[in-house]
Amino acid sequence: MTGNGLPLAGADGRLLLAVPSKGRMAEPALELCQAAGLRFETTERSLHVPCLNAPVDLLLVRPHDIPEYVQDGVVHLGITGANLIAETRADVLTMAELGFARCTLEAAVPDGAPQTTLADLDGLRVATAYPVSTEAVLGQLGVRAELVTVSGSVEAAPRLGLSDAIVDLVSTGSTASANGLRRIGRLLESEAVLIASREAMAERGALAERLELMFRSVVAGRRRRYLMMNAAESALPELREILPSMGAPSVLSLAEEGQIAIHAAVDVDEIWELLPRLKAAGASSLLVVPIERLVP
């Protein structure tokens, strides 16, 4: 056990995965584990949760603690935000981007302020809950600002006279706008990632890579849809030009003479543009279905 009463990654052959217990990453992280095929049961008081169908145990902890838990060998792997790795300066390996909890670390100033770029923060007081990341990025730009570390509502700092500007995480930007702030520059981008320690890869490399494959297959599946359609065989050349599929689409002959079925995996963001173009090119009976997992 560690000094916090948490289990150390042991020698029982099982993989210990740290998962956020609270915050906006908690629910999608558990959903990803389930979608990857892990079967487990959790309650509001769960901390250490064994998976019933795989040699994997989940450790539900604060997302801010996960980079250091992975670095220090408390767990083998962890799901956390890329921004938290930068903030803790944890020495970990990033194995996969997981496609949720996307956000950016951005600077903002009051609407009436003259500043328009990150360079304009030079000499100003900047409030942030992420002083390490902020100092590192501004330092790379040659900007010297007085950082005011806050842990509560960062957006209120200029109105309270604590700072001239702020640096905070932004997902939609609505919170900043509601507080009379205008964004002037992006410091870094972040999303949920799967991380590992070098020691874990040496001890549990094969098992860690298997879990990474399961996660990657779910993330890849979520980014695509399986598209099926019927068409006249004569329309195939034009339809193939339209389809941005993974490799060549599958083409099957139908019972009706001169008719074919076409199957392809396409990017989810392209569906809006694709369907009307395919229909205009002669496709019919178009069917779009989710992909549970995709292993390229």
Side-chain angles (χ1 to χ4, degrees), residues 167-192:
V167 169
D168 200 15
L169 287 181
V170 174
S171 52
T172 64
S174 58
T175 303
S177 298
N179 283 273
L181 298 172
R182 171 173 47 84
R183 290 180 284 173
I184 62 170
R186 179 176 300 178
L187 283 76
L188 59 83
E189 297 183 353
S190 178
E191 69 176 283

Side-chain angles (χ1 to χ4, degrees), residues 85-89 128-138 147 149:
I85 300 170
E87 188 63 25
T88 57
R89 293 177 175 169
T128 183
Y130 302 94
V132 174
S133 304
T134 300
E135 183 178 28
V137 176
L138 293 183
L147 298 186
T149 303

Side-chain angles (χ1 to χ4, degrees), residues 249-290:
S250 299
V251 180
L252 309 171
S253 296
L254 297 179
E256 185 177 348
E257 184 76 21
Q259 293 293 307
I260 57 174
I262 304 172
H263 296 188
V266 299
D267 194 290
V268 66
D269 293 331
E270 295 173 335
I271 295 294
W272 173 263
E273 297 288 344
L274 272 179
L275 295 188
R277 293 181 62 198
L278 292 169
K279 186 172 179 61
S284 63
S285 302
L286 288 96
L287 180 64
V288 181
V289 296

